[in-house]
Amino acid sequence: MIRFASNEDVIELKSMWYSIFGDEMSYIDLFFDEIFSCDNTLVYEKYGDIAAMLYIVDYSYKQNEKVYKLSYLYALATKDIYRGKGIMNELLDEATKLSKERDKDALMLIPVDEKLLKYYKKRGFETIKSLMPIKLNGEYECEQITVDEIKVESGVVLSKEQIHFLKSLMKLEKVNLYSFKRQGRVCRYELAKNANSNEKHTIMMKFITNFTVFDEDIISLLLV
């Protein structure tokens, strides 16, 4: 049975997150304190047990002075004993249905493993952008900035709550925020302990409306 999460599920959801993803409990607690909401969390319950979970984070996407609405799917997970039974397929279908009902323009996610690309493609997602590690070899100008200095003309725009979360996360993990410019234009923001980014992320989207993504759009401020 698919349902929205309840506050009574939080302890089990945190435990499930920790056992599957291995994130620090301090990060998990911060997510649940500042981002989590019951009506944006889908769970699949089987025999009274939460078999799978999927979190939806609402993002705005600015482009040509127009703002689009996105559902960012985060921390998708199924317990080992329930894998291979199509449960996540059902959760993805429900997330798509819910996003349409809420007038979203697209669903977006970042696979935790490159091996999952083929799976998500079968579910209607397409690769939009691959954020490769940045090497400071002269191609990019790098500058350490504050969260309040983030400026996005085209791409993902953070809400006040998400900006607050970003500040809390930087303090918790003792990381800095860097902006990277290419040919004088900001092309990426990155959280890291130093300016040499080693992160590689593949961003996938499932479009609901005629919304499109441009190469110059900044899509690097997502939860990963």
Side-chain angles (χ1 to χ4, degrees):
M1 173 184 76
I2 296 177
R3 62 173 174 81
F4 288 114
S6 68
N7 289 323
E8 288 72 28
D9 296 321
V10 168
I11 292 176
E12 185 175 355
L13 290 171
K14 285 184 177 182
S15 175
M16 187 174 169
W17 187 315
Y18 179 77
S19 64
I20 292 176
F21 297 113
D23 291 326
E24 296 288 340
M25 280 305 303
S26 55
Y27 173 79
I28 298 170
D29 287 339
L30 180 63
F31 176 87
F32 276 84
D33 288 343
E34 299 199 14
I35 301 294
F36 168 82
S37 68
C38 291
D39 60 356
N40 266 9
T41 305
L42 295 174
V43 299
Y44 192 105
E45 185 178 328
K46 198 171 182 68
Y47 310 123
D49 184 28
I50 294 179
M53 62 184 186
L54 179 158
Y55 301 84
I56 300 172
V57 182
D58 297 324
Y59 276 105
S60 296
Y61 199 106
K62 183 181 176 184
Q63 198 178 78
N64 295 330
E65 301 305 318
K66 185 174 180 179
V67 178
Y68 297 90
K69 298 191 296 182
L70 306 183
S71 292
Y72 178 56
L73 309 186
Y74 188 55
L76 296 76
T78 306
K79 289 180 179 176
D80 284 344
I81 59 172
Y82 297 112
R83 290 178 182 170
K85 303 180 187 298
I87 289 175
M88 187 52 67
N89 292 347
E90 293 186 44
L91 277 182
L92 286 169
D93 288 343
E94 186 64 25
T96 300
K97 177 185 174 185
L98 187 63
S99 297
K100 289 178 179 178
E101 291 172 354
R102 294 178 176 179
D103 295 323
K104 297 299 183 69
D105 295 285
L107 294 90
M108 178 167 53
L109 54 78
I110 298 177
V112 69
D113 192 314
E114 293 291 306
K115 295 176 183 177
L116 292 170
L117 290 174
K118 187 179 293 186
Y119 168 75
Y120 287 119
K121 284 179 181 177
K122 289 181 179 178
R123 305 306 307 167
F125 288 83
E126 55 186 280
T127 298
I128 297 303
K129 184 176 288 193
S130 292
L131 298 178
M132 305 299 290
I134 289 179
K135 301 300 179 185
L136 297 179
N137 55 9
E139 182 182 357
Y140 295 91
E141 298 174 49
C142 175
E143 180 183 5
Q144 184 177 334
I145 64 170
T146 67
V147 174
D148 295 322
E149 292 178 281
I150 293 173
K151 293 180 181 178
V152 176
E153 294 179 6
S154 187
V156 172
V157 181
L158 301 184
S159 65
K160 290 181 180 179
E161 292 77 15
Q162 289 161 351
I163 287 173
H164 186 272
F165 174 80
L166 189 57
K167 290 179 178 178
S168 300
L169 181 62
M170 290 173 64
K171 184 176 180 180
L172 174 69
E173 299 193 345
K174 296 180 174 59
V175 293
N176 301 314
L177 177 64
Y178 296 91
S179 72
F180 294 90
K181 289 183 180 180
R182 186 167 51 199
Q183 297 178 345
R185 180 188 177 96
V186 175
C187 60
R188 187 163 167 183
Y189 292 104
E190 200 74 54
L191 279 181
K193 291 186 182 295
N194 58 63
N196 283 296
S197 168
N198 292 313
E199 297 291 327
K200 176 185 176 183
H201 302 299
T202 300
I203 298 169
M204 304 186 78
M205 282 190 181
K206 183 177 184 178
F207 295 98
I208 297 173
T209 66
N210 292 326
F211 164 63
T212 14
V213 172
F214 299 133
D215 287 341
E216 64 270 20
D217 289 354
I218 296 175
I219 322 178
S220 55
L221 290 170
L222 303 168
L223 296 172
V224 292

